[in-house]
Amino acid sequence: MTLNLTVVSRERIYQCADYRLSNPRTRQAIDIESPKIILVNAYRWSATVCYTGIAQIPDGTYVGDWLSALAKDISPNEPFNQLLDSIAGADSWLREYPLESRRISFSVGAFDVDQPVFALISNFEEPSGRMSQSVASTLTVHRVRPDKPKAYVAGLKTAVSRQDRRQLERLASRNPEISDMSMALVELNRRVASAWPNLVSAACFTTYLSHTGN
């Protein structure tokens, strides 16, 4: 598991994802930096999407590239739910792997019109932080519409404390400079990477969305 961080507030949504790929059996890092985060824009909504878990589909395509292709196929006229349904369509290729090897989560932070939304599409974890030791046979789409700043962690949850999440939420509540929130995410990612270097890379990518459409 790598690390995905999403912070949702009424003004902005921020997201951070590392680049690390690793061998799921040996947990040894693979010397490939693979982007795990994309931005998607439509007429009435915009979203930032990242993933953690299995990194390749059966034909060898990286999941990040699969997400990028999926985003390009979504019409600007489509409703926000079409994005979630399309991502959940990953079940079509996940089923080609043994069940225990299918563990994956997609974190989606979005403004649907101007309303903040967080969605977690996963076969092993929930937005509440609850995780299952077993892998479900299909993906579940969890939607949350937080009414105050909220930080969500996917992947290596145990490496991020409740205090870490609360600090991000307090910062978001002050409507900070974008660079300040980005640096807070980068520093947390870097701290996790120093403890789990084979699972999380110190290098990461951050994005943000504004309720005004930026």
Side-chain angles (χ1 to χ4, degrees):
M1 287 292 106
T2 52
L3 182 66
N4 293 168
L5 303 167
T6 308
V7 182
V8 179
S9 72
R10 292 197 63 83
E11 291 77 26
R12 294 195 192 102
I13 295 170
Y14 311 86
Q15 196 165 71
C16 176
D18 80 313
Y19 289 88
R20 176 69 74 228
L21 298 182
S22 58
N23 185 304
R25 289 180 292 277
T26 66
R27 291 203 167 189
Q28 294 301 303
I30 299 172
D31 192 20
I32 298 174
E33 288 193 344
S34 175
K36 301 188 179 79
I37 190 166
I38 64 165
L39 288 165
V40 190
N41 290 297
Y43 291 144
R44 294 178 59 81
W45 56 269
S46 56
T48 178
V49 185
C50 60
Y51 79 94
T52 179
I54 188 169
Q56 284 185 298
I57 69 175
D59 68 4
T61 301
Y62 287 109
V63 172
D65 294 329
W66 175 81
L67 276 174
S68 294
L70 175 151
K72 290 177 182 177
D73 286 341
I74 293 177
S75 165
N77 293 305
E78 297 281 5
F80 171 62
N81 283 345
Q82 181 59 51
L83 172 66
L84 305 184
D85 292 343
S86 296
I87 295 172
D91 276 330
S92 64
W93 52 262
L94 282 168
R95 67 172 63 102
E96 297 185 36
Y97 288 103
L99 183 60
E100 64 275 9
S101 301
R102 297 182 199 172
R103 195 177 298 264
I104 195 168
S105 289
F106 300 92
S107 296
V108 183
F111 282 106
D112 188 5
V113 186
D114 61 352
Q115 297 299 305
V117 183
F118 176 74
L120 185 68
I121 303 166
S122 180
N123 52 23
F124 74 97
E125 58 183 338
E126 300 177 14
S128 65
R130 184 178 304 158
M131 295 180 64
S132 174
Q133 294 301 313
S134 59
V135 182
S137 59
T138 59
L139 292 163
T140 298
V141 179
H142 306 272
R143 298 176 185 83
V144 184
R145 292 184 178 270
D147 56 6
K148 59 183 180 180
K150 185 72 175 177
Y152 299 96
V153 182
L156 198 58
K157 289 181 184 291
T158 56
V160 178
S161 68
R162 181 177 180 180
Q163 181 180 359
D164 291 327
R165 298 196 307 275
R166 295 297 176 265
Q167 288 178 341
L168 292 174
E169 291 164 359
R170 285 194 292 270
L171 180 58
S173 71
R174 299 197 291 270
N175 195 18
E177 294 292 328
I178 295 164
S179 58
D180 291 342
M181 178 58 80
S182 295
M183 186 53 63
L185 293 168
V186 168
E187 289 176 350
L188 178 54
N189 181 87
R190 187 177 295 143
R191 179 152 46 87
V192 172
S194 68
W196 301 88
N198 286 344
L199 298 181
V200 178
S201 66
C204 61
F205 188 75
T206 65
T207 59
Y208 83 93
L209 300 171
S210 169
H211 72 286
T212 60
N214 294 331

